[in-house]
Amino acid sequence: MNDLISAIATASGAAGVAIVRMSGEGALETARKMFSRKGEYTPYRMYPGVIDAGTFRDYGMCVYFRAPASFTGEDVVELHCHGGTEIARGVLRRTLELGARLAERGEFTRRAYLNGKLSLSAAEGLGEMISASSEAQVRAGYLLYSEKLTRLGTQLQAELTECLAQVDADLDYPEEDLETDAREQIAARLDRVLKQLLALLAQYGAGRKIKSGVRVALVGAPNAGKSSLLNALLGYDRAIVSDIPGTTRDLNEGTITLHGVNFLLTDTAGLRESADKIEQEGVRRAREAIRSADVIVWLKDEAPAPDFPEGTPVITVGAKSDLGRRADCDVVLSSVTGEGLDAFRAMLYEKGFGRENDDAFLLSERHYRAIRQAADAVQAALAAVRDAPSELYAEDVRRAWEALGVISGETANENIIDEIFSKFCVGK
């Protein structure tokens, strides 16, 4: 696995700087053949000089990271050249001519994982940061990258290991029987583990919103002011605004960012009975948007509110405050004058997302499944620990331990590992 790999580590296109990265056995020797510096290379120091790409030369920089104190855990060299596309390609081509092979997707990070430089979930966190579409996703990805979820999983595995040690003692010496107080100690440990697992599962909703955005349905009767509110929040005219009822017949969408979290706004058709088949389809789509929303914004009028899905937060809005005010709403605003818009944004963030914290988030379905399996296994063990023979619940405790190992990669299979690193770019 320590063969020499090489790839362009920066985005393609014209830029100030491009980086060609090599990792593996012979990285420094290859760099010596291409870079003008003579003599020793002090690790972690950047040297200026001339890069010889074979068919052309460029003035750039070279830095050497000595194993194991590098990102991959191997010898790593980076050649920093000017950022023209052909310059970077030429430098890369020369490294391949001198014996390196082109790195596969995510291979640098995969080597870091295989060499124990980071856990599997930390690698996923790095991927989340690179592909982030919001600051909140960057922050949540960094929590993964900094091993927060892995450390928690390891702590819970240690608790389960203590349980298994007590169970094994009972299995090894059955004639002594596991005393009642020992069973109570195991039950207490399992209960602590279960509470933390359930708290993690409760964070999955927030993690999904961070990654995919908070879905917001703007709902109301025709001419309630939904399209005007969408335009006011976006800061430009996305939806057609008219005094004619039923103007909005399809879904109009736009995205705003509040405190680093993306909110996906959907302006829906006015809810009313209509003989117009096109408007009927618009109402049907509006009801679909309501069912899938994370938060519903109900622009209130004299008509009664429709039946909203149970458990979905609803913000009632008294719109058009410049034309008349309502007192029976969560917030009163005007899309024309801007009155109440800041208060509405604050309420939308609070109701739709909540408050960000420094806890570990479950950003992926893989993490959710692993924690769910661990929680189910611990619940099964808890149900049997006080009365059943030890061997009947020991397997449940082991299943929970193995499920938590999937988070760090300790018990992840090759297919999972391949899938994760295939999502990375070639240079990472």
Side-chain angles (χ1 to χ4, degrees):
M1 189 198 68
N2 197 36
D3 60 323
L4 183 61
I5 58 174
S6 181
I8 299 172
T10 45
S12 61
V17 175
I19 298 174
V20 176
R21 175 180 294 147
M22 294 182 285
S23 178
E25 188 174 353
L28 183 57
E29 288 73 13
T30 302
R32 287 183 183 279
K33 297 174 183 177
M34 298 179 60
F35 197 66
S36 60
R37 175 175 172 78
K38 306 300 180 184
E40 294 300 315
Y41 282 71
T42 302
Y44 325 114
R45 178 177 295 178
M46 186 167 282
Y47 294 100
V50 175
I51 302 171
D52 185 354
T55 56
F56 66 85
R57 295 186 175 190
D58 182 33
Y59 189 83
M61 313 283 279
C62 180
V63 59
Y64 165 51
F65 303 90
R66 184 168 57 199
S70 70
F71 175 70
T72 64
E74 305 169 340
D75 277 355
V76 173
V77 171
E78 290 181 353
L79 295 169
H80 296 226
C81 58
H82 287 99
T85 301
E86 292 306 317
I87 299 175
R89 286 178 180 174
V91 174
L92 171 63
R93 183 175 59 250
R94 184 58 178 157
T95 66
L96 302 181
E97 290 170 352
L98 292 173
R101 68 167 174 83
L102 185 64
E104 299 175 0
R105 283 182 174 272
E107 190 168 4
F108 290 97
T109 309
R110 184 178 188 132
R111 290 188 175 199
Y113 161 66
L114 294 175
N115 289 325
K117 305 299 290 186
L118 74 173
S119 70
L120 196 58
S121 64
E124 289 176 282
L126 182 57
E128 293 288 348
M129 294 176 68
I130 293 171
S131 62
S133 60
S134 69
E135 287 186 9
Q137 190 176 352
V138 173
R139 293 192 291 265
Y142 181 75
L143 290 176
L144 267 182
Y145 181 52
S146 62
E147 305 282 12
K148 194 147 194 173
L149 182 60
T150 299
R151 284 196 298 272
L152 178 56
T154 301
Q155 291 168 11
L156 297 181
Q157 280 184 302
E159 292 272 18
L160 295 175
T161 299
E162 289 295 325
C163 293
L164 287 171
Q166 289 182 283
V167 171
D168 287 342
D170 185 48
L171 293 175
D172 291 340
Y173 305 99
E175 67 280 359
E176 297 183 10
D177 196 17
L178 196 62
E179 297 179 358
T180 301
D181 60 342
R183 288 180 179 270
E184 289 299 327
Q185 290 173 14
I186 292 176
R189 283 186 184 276
L190 292 176
D191 187 62
R192 288 197 299 271
V193 170
L194 181 60
K195 286 178 179 176
Q196 293 186 74
L197 290 173
L198 294 178
L200 266 177
L201 290 173
Q203 290 276 41
Y204 180 59
R208 180 192 61 75
K209 292 174 184 177
I210 285 175
K211 190 169 182 177
S212 303
V214 181
R215 299 183 297 260
V216 182
L218 305 180
V219 181
N223 263 16
K226 303 180 297 299
S227 298
S228 295
L229 178 56
L230 175 69
N231 291 342
L233 292 171
L234 296 178
Y236 64 91
D237 290 342
R238 175 67 180 84
I240 298 173
V241 176
S242 170
D243 292 335
I244 302 173
T247 299
T248 301
R249 297 190 172 197
D250 203 350
L251 304 179
N252 290 313
E253 298 177 332
T255 300
I256 62 172
T257 301
L258 301 176
H259 304 291
V261 179
N262 288 337
F263 283 72
L264 314 178
L265 309 176
T266 300
D267 171 26
T268 64
L271 299 178
R272 68 173 178 178
E273 297 296 328
S274 174
D276 187 319
K277 289 186 177 181
I278 297 178
E279 190 170 358
Q280 288 175 0
E281 176 62 17
V283 172
R284 186 192 68 78
R285 295 185 183 189
R287 296 192 185 281
E288 282 186 355
I290 291 171
R291 284 192 293 271
S292 63
D294 296 309
V295 60
I296 297 167
V297 177
W298 168 242
L299 281 76
K300 198 167 185 178
D301 63 359
E302 301 309 319
D307 293 329
F308 294 129
E310 185 177 353
T312 303
V314 178
I315 301 174
T316 59
V317 173
K320 304 181 181 181
S321 63
D322 52 309
L323 302 179
R325 307 182 70 82
R326 302 185 65 98
D328 54 349
C329 299
D330 295 322
V331 61
V332 175
L333 59 81
S334 169
S335 300
V336 175
T337 67
E339 178 195 0
L341 286 178
D342 286 342
F344 171 75
R345 291 186 186 97
M347 189 173 295
L348 182 60
Y349 180 80
E350 182 68 28
K351 292 265 192 178
F353 182 74
R355 295 199 178 276
E356 200 172 341
N357 53 49
D358 289 333
D359 293 337
F361 285 100
L362 300 184
L363 291 178
S364 74
E365 180 67 21
R366 185 183 83 82
H367 293 162
Y368 177 82
R369 287 198 307 268
I371 298 299
R372 180 74 270 172
Q373 289 169 4
D376 290 344
V378 171
Q379 284 178 319
L382 265 173
V385 66
R386 290 183 174 89
D387 303 314
S390 301
E391 59 267 22
L392 293 184
Y393 63 84
E395 184 58 31
D396 292 320
V397 177
R398 290 190 182 93
R399 283 197 301 114
W401 190 95
E402 290 175 358
L404 288 170
V406 172
I407 297 292
S408 64
E410 190 173 359
T411 59
N413 61 45
E414 197 67 23
N415 290 335
I416 291 175
I417 295 170
D418 287 343
E419 179 184 354
I420 289 170
F421 290 108
S422 69
K423 298 176 182 177
F424 281 72
C425 60
V426 170
K428 194 60 181 177

